[in-house]
Amino acid sequence: MTKKLALVTGGVGGIGSSICRELAEKGYRAIAGYHPAEEAAAKARLSEWQAAGLDIDIVSGDVASFESCVDMAAAIREKHGTVQALVNCAGITRDKTLKKMTPDDWTAVLNVDLNSLFNVTKQFIDGMTDAGFGRVVNISSVNGKKGQFGQTNYSAAKAGVHGFTMALAQEVARKGVTVNSVSPGYVETAMTKAIPADISQQIVAQIPLGRMAQPEEISYVVGVLCDDRAGYITGTNISVNGGMFISF
Ligand code: CAA
C-alpha cells in the first residue's frame, strides 16, 4: 500500500520538525516545508532524518506568498503525489506593545501566521475532497485564546486561525476531510528562547504544570488528529497548554 503524504509547513522549526517525525513514525511520508532563507537548517534536518531512517523530505516555499505556495504544491505533486494531511505550523512573532508596533510588524505576522492558511490550504483542499479523505491541522496558540501583552499581531492572527478552522470544517466535512486546530502553550523552542529571561520566568510561574512543554507533547496530539481513526473529530480545538488557560 502506498504511504499517505503529509505536508508540515514550518517543518524544520522546533514544533514542526517534531510533527514531521511523529507523522513519519505513524506511517506517513512527511514533507517539511521551509522558508527559502532557512535552506541550511533544512538540509541539516534532512541529514538527521535520513540518518535516522525516517521517511521525511523537505520542500522550500514562502507561506506568506500565494504564488510561492502554488510552486511549492507543484513541486510536491511532481515528486511525491497528492497530499492527504496538511499541518499549517509555520509561524513567527514580532513582539511589541501596540504603541511601538510598526505596520511591518503587524503585516509580517498576519501574513505568515494567518494569511498562510489561505495560501497553503487552497493548494491541497480540492485534492483531499476529491479523494474523500483528508486531515488539516492548524497550529494556533494559547495566546490566540487568551491574548498576550506584547502580541496584538500574534494574538489576532492565532485567534483568526480558529475562525478559519471552524468555517472550513463545515465546508469539507461531507467529503471525509477533518479540520482542527491545536493551541500549544509555551513550548521549549527557539521562539520562546527569544523571550527575555525575566519575562520568561514570570510566564512559567503562571503555568500550573510549572514548566514549558516539549515539542513532542504537541506533535503527539497532531499525530492523533491525523490518524485514520480520528475521522469524527472536526471543527474543534485542542489546547495543550499545561493548564495555563483553562476553558471549555
Ligand atoms: N502586563 C501588564 N503590564 C506589563 C506586562 C504585562 N504582562 N509586561 C510589561 N508590562 C508593563 C511594563 O512594566 C511597562 O510599564 P511602565 O511603562 O510603567 O514601566 C510597560 O508595560 C511597557 O513595557 P515594556 O517597556 O517592557 O514594553 P516593550 O514594548 O518594550 O516590550 C515585550 C514588551 C517585548 C512584549 C515584552 O513584554 C515581552 O517580550 N513579553 C513576552 C511576550 C510573549 O509572551 N511572547 C510569546 C513569545 S512565544 C510565542 O508566541 C509562542 C506561543 O504561541 C505561546
Side-chain angles (χ1 to χ4, degrees):
M1 206 178 105
T2 46
K3 281 184 165 186
K4 289 196 175 82
L5 194 62
L7 169 64
V8 181
T9 70
V12 303
I15 297 179
S17 60
S18 175
I19 293 172
C20 287
R21 192 175 259 274
E22 175 75 21
L23 293 180
E25 283 169 357
K26 284 185 78 87
Y28 276 92
R29 167 173 294 168
I31 314 290
Y34 66 93
H35 188 276
E38 294 178 302
E39 179 102 28
K43 290 201 165 142
R45 283 275 190 215
L46 182 63
S47 306
E48 251 176 57
W49 287 326
Q50 283 173 340
L54 291 162
D55 191 357
I56 308 177
D57 198 2
I58 55 173
V59 67
S60 156
D62 178 3
V63 297
S65 152
F66 188 82
E67 289 68 32
S68 178
C69 291
V70 170
D71 295 344
M72 177 175 73
I76 294 171
R77 246 189 313 275
E78 192 177 316
K79 189 165 175 193
H80 300 287
T82 315
V83 165
Q84 279 82 33
L86 167 64
V87 183
N88 284 305
C89 182
I92 59 166
T93 53
R94 289 228 191 148
D95 295 355
K96 271 174 202 134
T97 51
L98 185 67
K99 192 180 164 84
K100 295 181 186 167
M101 192 174 288
T102 64
D104 187 51
D105 293 329
W106 174 264
T107 308
V109 170
L110 268 289
N111 279 342
V112 177
D113 296 6
L114 180 59
N115 293 336
S116 61
L117 267 61
F118 176 82
N119 297 338
V120 180
T121 312
K122 273 286 276 185
Q123 314 304 330
F124 301 104
I125 199 75
D126 290 350
M128 293 183 193
T129 54
D130 290 350
F133 176 89
R135 298 280 182 264
V136 179
V137 181
N138 300 316
I139 306 301
S140 181
S141 164
V142 65
N143 293 341
K145 293 172 77 83
K146 73 168 187 55
Q148 168 62 35
F149 184 100
Q151 288 197 311
T152 49
N153 49 5
Y154 187 85
S155 300
K158 293 297 189 181
V161 168
H162 297 308
F164 179 94
T165 301
M166 292 186 285
L168 183 62
Q170 295 176 43
E171 293 181 17
V172 297
R174 280 169 199 263
K175 303 287 185 184
V177 181
T178 65
V179 187
N180 296 289
S181 58
V182 171
S183 293
Y186 284 71
V187 184
E188 266 185 33
T189 63
M191 189 180 269
T192 52
K193 284 199 179 82
I195 304 171
D198 53 330
I199 295 177
S200 184
Q201 279 161 18
Q202 287 165 25
I203 289 170
V204 171
Q206 295 163 30
I207 303 172
L209 252 70
R211 62 173 177 86
M212 290 198 188
Q214 292 304 310
E216 294 68 32
E217 294 176 301
I218 312 304
S219 55
Y220 165 72
V221 175
V222 176
V224 169
L225 290 173
C226 290
D227 197 281
D228 281 357
R229 294 165 292 178
Y232 208 67
I233 307 173
T234 198
T236 198
N237 169 252
I238 302 183
S239 286
V240 191
N241 65 30
M244 187 183 201
F245 183 68
I246 295 176
S247 67
F248 286 89

